[in-house]
Every structure is written in structure tokens, then in C-alpha cells.
Amino acid sequence: MKIVILERDSVGEDVSVDCLKELGELAIYHNTVKEEVKDRIKDADIIIANKAPINEETMKDASSVKLVCEFATGYDNVDLEYCKEKGIRVVNVVDYSTAAVAQHTFALCFYILEKLNHYDNYVKSGQYAAQPRFSNFDIPFTELDGKVWGIVGMGHIGRRVAKIAEAFGCKVIFYSASGNSKCTEYERVDLETLLKKSDFLSLHCPLSDKTRNLIDLEALKKMKTSAILINVARGPVVNDEALYIALTENMIAGAGLDVTGTEPMQESNPLSKIMDSNKLIITPHLAWASIEARKRVVEETYKNIQAFYEGKERNVVGNT
């Protein structure tokens, strides 16, 4: 079968995809934009994608496609109904980035909480060497111990974050946007309670009609002025314009973002105007991208295709 990788760069050039050559004729494209999808998949049997749109418009001439593999967990770039209609199976990779995203959640938290940018610059500027005191703590910071860590989305990543937060001495509470959470280890609360009680609020939920703009201006107004917001979920879960207002008007203490409303982040995004790294840090959607996680994406995709060949269902999404 012919296997087409549309976005090879999404797993990084430092990670090999050679194992996929064992499974068929491999066509590799480093990146693919919407206008290029149709031509590149027209004779494919298996498509491997990440963000490239896989829908009726791009697939209508691709009569041989039998399987769509996501180089990711998310599959909002795929029209599941169309694939179901055409008998095309869609599979993803699950739980590959849990450790990486949980790790990055706390990296963002500590960067803001302990004002690490400020203190690093203080030392490197020569101010520390020039002072007579052994220490400097001119911008106060607090401990995690004894604080409330709120979570939206208690899946694999949310649960890992909860365990780490507990290890730091936090009380963990969570809100289930879908209402379907089976988690009983931690206290489940409504959204208003979560917003009002959380000293730290981290987002780990999928993007859906229930989570889009979940953190809007009204939500931010309900948070503690000392609270730190962390979004490692999907950008549109937070309203960027509202967050800009909340940060510039000191409604909350700070935010750590790995995602924004559009990606890459647009210059028109008001958050791009905030240069104070003690208040806001933004990383370019890399929380998931540890070397180990990216290797797992390729390995799990290999296993998904192998399972398909063997007539087994593995990581099938939707009703395809």
C-alpha cells in the first residue's frame, strides 16, 4: 500500500520515521498546506496527517484511501462523518505526551510564580554581583504547599498534573466540562467554584462546543487576583482578548500559555503586546514535544497501521 506522510516535520527531523517504510511505499512531505492536500493524497491508501485538513473537499479524488492516521491525539482536522460514509478508518495516538505536557505545565507555573525571568536577568545584569547582600528577593513569590490547584479536564494529563500538584502539597479540585468524568480521586466542583477557589488553574481539556471560550472575561473576573492560569490544552479554550484585559488590569497574577487562539500566534493577537515575562510566558505549542513523546508518536502510528493490516481495531476514533 502507498502511505503518504503529509507533515513529517510535525514529529521533528531528529526523530526517524524509517520504520514506516516496512509497511508500504512511503511518500514523505515535510509540511502540507490545505491547497496541497488533494494532489498529494490522490493515490494514497493510507494518510498520515496532523493538522492538514482531511475532509470531503481534499479527499473527493482519493478513492483508494482506507486509513487515516493522526500523528497526534487530536483529530479535529478530520471530517469523521465523511470518513464513516466512505468506510475510511481513522486512528490516533493516545497518551503519548502525558509526561511531557505535565512537565511543561509546571515549567510554565514556576516561571511565572517564582519570577524566574526577573531573577535570572538580575544576576546576569551584574546587579547581584554589585550588591553587598548574599540574597535578593525584591519581587515576592509564594509556595505551592497549601494552595488549591484547579484542573479542567481530568484525563491522562489532568490526572498526572493532579498527582504532581499533590506532591507539592496542593489540594486538587477539578471541573468536568463534558460532565462525563469518572474521576473519584479528587473533588469535582462546578465551574464557578473552580474559578473562585483555584490559586493555580491548569487546562487539559479537548476543544469542543462546551470548552471553546470557557475562560472568557466573566470567568477571569471570578478568579483570585493572585491566581495563575496555565493553558496547555487548546488555544480557543481561553479568549485571548479577555486574557489580555485580565493581565493588563491585574485581574489575575499571571498566565503561562503553550497555545493561543490561532497558531502560529498572529501579530494582531493582543497578548503579543505584553512584554512583561513576570506576568505572561508563551511557548510555541511545544509542551507535547519531548524527544521521547515524538518517538512514541511514530512508534504508535506504526502499531496502528500494523493492526489495520491484521484486521484489528486499535485507537480507532469516532464511529469510523
Side-chain angles (χ1 to χ4, degrees):
M1 289 193 181
K2 182 172 182 180
I3 303 170
V4 176
I5 302 178
L6 291 177
E7 296 155 285
R8 190 258 179 272
D9 285 359
S10 67
V11 293
E13 289 295 328
D14 56 333
V15 170
S16 174
V17 297
D18 286 351
C19 63
L20 298 173
K21 294 178 181 178
E22 300 172 13
L23 300 173
E25 176 191 349
L26 197 62
I28 299 175
Y29 298 98
H30 290 276
N31 190 49
T32 300
V33 297
K34 178 181 177 181
E35 295 74 21
E36 297 170 327
V37 176
K38 185 177 177 181
D39 182 63
R40 292 180 174 181
I41 67 172
K42 62 185 179 183
D43 57 351
D45 296 292
I46 297 173
I47 300 168
I48 300 176
N50 187 309
K51 300 297 183 186
I54 306 299
N55 51 39
E56 182 174 4
E57 179 186 350
T58 58
M59 294 182 71
K60 60 185 178 182
D61 296 328
S63 58
S64 298
V65 175
K66 303 170 184 65
L67 178 68
V68 173
C69 301
E70 288 283 0
F71 254 172
T73 299
Y75 47 87
D76 49 310
N77 62 312
V78 178
D79 185 336
L80 295 181
E81 286 302 315
Y82 179 78
C83 288
K84 180 181 179 181
E85 178 186 325
K86 295 297 182 181
I88 299 168
R89 182 177 295 181
V90 180
V91 296
N92 68 344
V93 179
V94 298
D95 199 23
Y96 72 93
S97 63
T98 297
V101 177
Q103 175 176 296
H104 197 67
T105 297
F106 287 90
L108 294 174
C109 172
F110 289 128
Y111 186 88
I112 296 295
L113 175 64
E114 298 200 358
K115 314 303 177 190
L116 296 182
N117 179 71
H118 167 76
Y119 287 115
D120 183 49
N121 288 336
Y122 185 86
V123 172
K124 290 175 179 175
S125 70
Q127 288 177 275
Y128 181 46
Q131 72 174 42
R133 306 181 312 281
F134 79 94
S135 179
N136 178 60
F137 42 88
D138 56 323
I139 300 181
F141 59 93
T142 64
E143 299 174 351
L144 267 68
D145 189 59
K147 304 300 189 300
V148 175
W149 190 289
I151 292 174
V152 179
M154 196 58 89
H156 292 294
I157 296 171
R159 288 171 189 254
R160 179 70 68 92
V161 168
K163 288 182 180 180
I164 297 170
E166 274 192 316
F168 277 112
C170 290
K171 171 182 171 59
V172 174
I173 60 176
F174 78 98
Y175 167 70
S176 172
S178 68
N180 298 323
S181 177
K182 299 296 191 292
C183 179
T184 57
E185 301 99 306
Y186 304 101
E187 182 184 356
R188 180 171 163 179
V189 298
D190 58 37
L191 181 59
E192 185 164 347
T193 300
L194 184 88
L195 295 168
K196 289 182 176 179
K197 288 191 173 183
S198 296
D199 296 292
F200 306 92
L201 176 57
S202 60
L203 310 177
H204 310 286
C205 53
L207 181 63
S208 69
D209 291 340
K210 292 181 178 180
T211 60
R212 188 180 299 275
N213 281 319
L214 182 72
I215 307 300
D216 57 11
L217 190 58
E218 288 307 307
L220 290 159
K221 286 179 178 178
K222 293 175 182 176
M223 293 178 67
K224 297 180 180 181
T225 56
S226 58
I228 292 175
L229 173 70
I230 299 161
N231 187 10
V232 290
R234 289 290 182 264
V237 175
V238 176
N239 184 291
D240 290 344
E241 291 76 14
L243 181 57
Y244 172 79
I245 293 170
L247 290 171
T248 54
E249 296 186 8
N250 298 315
M251 293 179 186
I252 62 173
L257 310 177
D258 186 52
V259 289
T260 53
T262 56
E263 295 176 346
M265 182 177 174
Q266 303 296 309
E267 290 184 8
S268 58
N269 190 318
L271 293 174
S272 65
K273 300 175 185 176
I274 299 178
M275 296 292 112
D276 184 358
S277 294
N278 296 313
K279 189 178 290 276
L280 175 66
I281 178 175
I282 304 175
T283 52
H285 202 150
L286 55 76
W288 65 278
S290 67
I291 293 173
E292 295 89 344
R294 289 184 283 116
K295 285 181 178 178
R296 281 192 288 269
V297 167
V298 177
E299 291 164 0
E300 289 297 302
T301 299
Y302 177 95
K303 293 176 183 177
N304 284 342
I305 296 173
Q306 191 174 49
F308 175 74
Y309 285 166
E310 295 171 355
K312 301 175 182 176
E313 290 195 357
R314 187 177 194 273
N315 294 331
V316 178
V317 301
N319 296 313
T320 58

